Amino acid sequence: MKQLRLKVLTGLFLVAGILSWGAARLWDSVGTLPSVPIAAPIVLAVIAAILTATALSIRVRLKAQRERRPGAKGVEPLMAARAVVFGQASALVAALVAGLYGGTGVFLLGSLDVPARRDQALYAALSVAAGIAVIAAALFLERVCKLPEDDDEGPGKARV
């Protein structure tokens, strides 16, 4: 399984942000700009919390297993792999969504004197922050589930 690359996530964020900024400019010149939903940062924050809780749970179980505590539950490799895949997918989507709302938020910075647009800019900023939290939680989960490198596989290759 390949690891997430911060460069890929950053690239997705920037491309989505630039396209979103351009689309917001075009859409605003033609009509009214669609609003940024208040649910966007809430949903992203919930996903970040789920990823963080999963990572902490797996980390505690792995630590108990390493210390050979009596009654310690192990971590099934398939469950860990599924958690990592969920984290990677969430990070990719969060990078796109954060870029989308980031571009819209940058466009809205030009009209902060209008109360409705100021609220939309705030929701967009919260969405970007929550998207970054999802990415950080996914990277943490991936780090927790990474196995030590094997001599057979060579450097730089990780298994889950």
Side-chain angles (χ1 to χ4, degrees):
M1 183 177 292
K2 291 187 179 184
Q3 288 184 308
L4 280 174
R5 303 252 184 252
L6 203 53
K7 289 180 184 180
V8 171
L9 295 173
T10 304
L12 284 172
F13 175 80
L14 291 175
V15 168
I18 291 168
L19 291 175
S20 174
W21 174 78
R25 286 188 62 192
L26 179 64
W27 200 313
D28 191 52
S29 68
V30 173
T32 22
L33 186 66
S35 64
V36 177
I38 185 75
I42 295 170
V43 169
L44 288 170
V46 167
I47 293 171
I50 290 170
L51 289 171
T52 303
T54 302
L56 292 174
S57 171
I58 290 173
R59 187 174 73 168
V60 166
R61 289 172 70 181
L62 286 173
K63 182 178 179 187
Q65 189 177 9
R66 272 193 311 271
E67 294 174 354
R68 302 197 191 285
R69 292 185 193 159
K73 289 185 177 181
V75 177
E76 293 183 31
L78 188 58
M79 191 269 304
R82 287 179 180 158
V84 170
V85 168
F86 173 63
Q88 288 180 345
S90 298
L92 291 168
V93 171
L96 287 171
V97 170
L100 175 87
Y101 289 129
T104 304
V106 168
F107 171 76
L108 290 170
L109 288 177
S111 55
L112 289 178
D113 52 338
V114 179
R117 294 243 170 151
R118 184 174 45 246
D119 291 344
Q120 294 299 303
L122 175 65
Y123 300 155
L126 290 174
S127 296
V128 170
I132 291 170
V134 169
I135 292 169
L139 291 172
F140 176 59
L141 175 62
E142 189 177 62
R143 183 173 170 261
V144 165
C145 291
K146 184 177 177 182
L147 292 177
E149 292 184 20
D150 247 355
D151 292 335
D152 298 342
E153 292 188 14
K157 296 195 178 189
R159 295 178 295 130
V160 173

